[in-house]
């Protein structure tokens, strides 16, 4: 991989560097003091600050600060990147037409500008996903419990899509919520919402079971499941079998933040 880097370039030198990188289809990173303006479905402005800007050849752009893992502003793939020097500043613009959006990053100064001739076309192979858990249960329902019969996947309810809906050996409806990693109380809350949604659909007198399936749960999640009359089955997403016991010294809330984000995305 070829990397071309300019340290503290003038705006004109950075402009030439960027134009050549865009022409080649390189991935570009720029670090410096800048402002960020967005105009499209809404408008937003970020005042001066030291930020890292990543421009990818697929047309996406990410603006990062020194905090958190998510960008403070971004545009998706399919945008067109351009650069110019205006009013003594280096302007990097990313635009798209459907919908009509524009993201302008204007650099007061550039500390570093790098172009990477990246060639990575490998597909991500995800092992141990929620879909793996689903397939383990669908192919061998007894891994959940003897006599379980899956009836639907992604069953719609007024609380969102239920991962697996089925019946136990006695014909009682069962809501199954799948998680690929250790989870906290948010996963138990999500399962509770699905069970409540089916009570509204079937009637409050109808018995409905809720089962959370994950490699493990935090102590607080386990307590909440007990209080709510919900159940937990420990399964490894990769093997479809009960996982090897984890070290109990691990943080009790590990994984909770990721699950909250996943839940929010699923319910959006």
């Amino acid at each position: 991989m070829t990397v071309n880097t300019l340290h503290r370039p003038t705006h004109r030198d950075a402009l030439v560097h960027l134009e050549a990188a865009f022409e080649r289809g390189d991935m570009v990173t720029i670090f410096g003091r800048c402002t960020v303006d967005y105009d499209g479905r809404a408008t937003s402005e970020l005042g001066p600050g030291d930020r890292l800007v990543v421009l990818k050849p697929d047309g996406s752009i990410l603006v990062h600060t020194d905090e958190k893992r998510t960008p403070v502003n971004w545009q998706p793939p399919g945008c067109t990147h351009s650069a110019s020097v205006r009013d003594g500043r280096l302007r990097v613009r990313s635009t798209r037409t459907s919908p009509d959006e524009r993201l302008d990053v204007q650099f007061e100064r550039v500390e570093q500008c790098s172009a990477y001739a990246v060639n990575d076309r490998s597909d991500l192979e995800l092992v141990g996903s929620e879909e793996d858990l689903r397939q383990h249960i669908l192919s061998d329902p007894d891994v959940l419990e003897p006599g379980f019969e899956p009836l639907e996947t992604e069953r719609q309810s007024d609380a969102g899509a239920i991962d697996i809906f089925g019946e136990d050996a006695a014909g009682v409806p069962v809501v199954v919520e799948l998680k690929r990693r250790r989870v906290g109380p948010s996963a138990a809350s999500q399962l509770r919402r699905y069970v409540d949604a089916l009570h509204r659909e079937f009637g409050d007198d109808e018995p409905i079971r809720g089962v959370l399936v994950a490699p493990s749960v935090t102590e607080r999640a386990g307590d909440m499941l007990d209080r709510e009359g919900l159940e937990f089955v420990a399964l490894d997403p990769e093997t479809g079998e009960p996982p090897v016991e984890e070290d109990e010294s691990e943080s009790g809330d590990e994984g909770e933040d990721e699950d909250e984000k996943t839940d929010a995305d699923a319910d959006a």
Side-chain angles (χ1 to χ4, degrees):
M1 179 180 68
T2 302
V3 181
N4 295 309
T5 299
L6 300 180
H7 296 280
R8 296 185 177 177
T10 66
H11 292 338
R12 287 292 175 187
D13 287 342
L15 174 61
V16 172
H17 192 60
L18 289 172
E19 288 178 337
F22 295 154
E23 180 69 24
R24 291 191 302 266
D26 289 352
M27 182 168 72
V28 173
T29 61
I30 314 170
F31 182 78
R33 189 164 184 82
C34 63
T35 60
V36 183
D37 297 300
Y38 166 78
D39 185 47
R41 290 167 292 179
T43 58
S44 65
E45 295 182 2
L46 283 176
D50 295 331
R51 301 180 179 104
L52 173 67
V53 178
V54 181
L55 300 108
K56 298 184 180 182
D58 66 357
S60 56
I61 179 173
L62 309 170
V63 182
H64 285 278
T65 67
D66 61 346
E67 296 180 331
K68 301 181 181 180
R69 64 182 178 181
T70 56
V72 293
N73 215 324
W74 60 280
Q75 285 282 75
C79 298
T80 299
H81 302 319
S82 62
S84 61
V85 175
R86 299 285 179 86
D87 300 324
R89 295 185 172 217
L90 173 69
R91 187 188 71 187
V92 177
R93 171 171 286 183
S94 181
T95 59
R96 65 173 179 156
T97 57
S98 182
D100 190 13
E101 293 182 299
R102 185 187 76 246
L103 184 67
D104 280 340
V105 184
Q106 298 196 56
F107 286 90
E108 175 185 330
R109 68 170 185 272
V110 176
E111 298 292 340
Q112 182 171 305
C113 181
S114 297
Y116 306 84
V118 178
N119 183 14
D120 180 6
R121 295 296 181 266
S122 299
D123 293 330
L124 175 65
E125 183 177 350
L126 181 63
V127 178
S129 65
E130 290 178 11
E131 182 58 29
D132 290 330
L133 267 179
R134 190 198 318 270
Q135 293 305 319
H136 287 310
I137 294 173
L138 294 180
S139 62
D140 184 11
D142 283 355
V143 300
L144 186 73
E145 65 178 38
F148 175 68
E149 181 182 359
L151 299 176
E152 295 181 65
T153 61
E154 297 297 322
R155 186 190 192 279
Q156 294 300 314
S157 74
D158 62 21
I162 297 170
D163 288 334
I164 300 178
F165 173 74
E167 293 181 350
D168 64 15
V172 175
V174 180
V175 174
V176 181
E177 174 63 17
L178 307 175
K179 296 296 181 186
R180 68 180 181 86
R181 55 167 291 172
R182 180 178 176 85
V183 293
S186 62
S189 296
Q190 185 181 18
L191 178 59
R192 177 77 266 169
R193 292 195 298 272
Y194 291 152
V195 171
D196 290 344
L198 290 193
H199 274 302
R200 291 191 293 272
E201 182 178 337
F202 295 160
D204 290 336
D205 295 334
E206 179 75 21
I208 298 173
R209 295 172 55 197
V211 180
L212 176 63
V213 179
S216 62
V217 297
T218 66
E219 184 176 348
R220 289 198 299 142
D223 290 343
M224 184 174 180
L225 290 169
D226 290 340
R227 288 196 309 270
E228 297 290 342
L230 304 172
E231 304 165 50
F232 169 65
V233 173
L235 290 180
D236 186 306
E238 189 170 350
T239 65
E241 299 176 354
V244 178
E245 290 188 6
E246 298 180 353
D247 184 352
E248 293 298 329
S249 65
E250 291 183 359
S251 169
D253 290 333
E254 182 181 355
E256 185 174 349
D257 288 345
E258 177 171 315
D259 289 319
E260 288 175 350
K261 180 180 184 300
T262 301
D263 297 347
D265 291 343
D267 293 341

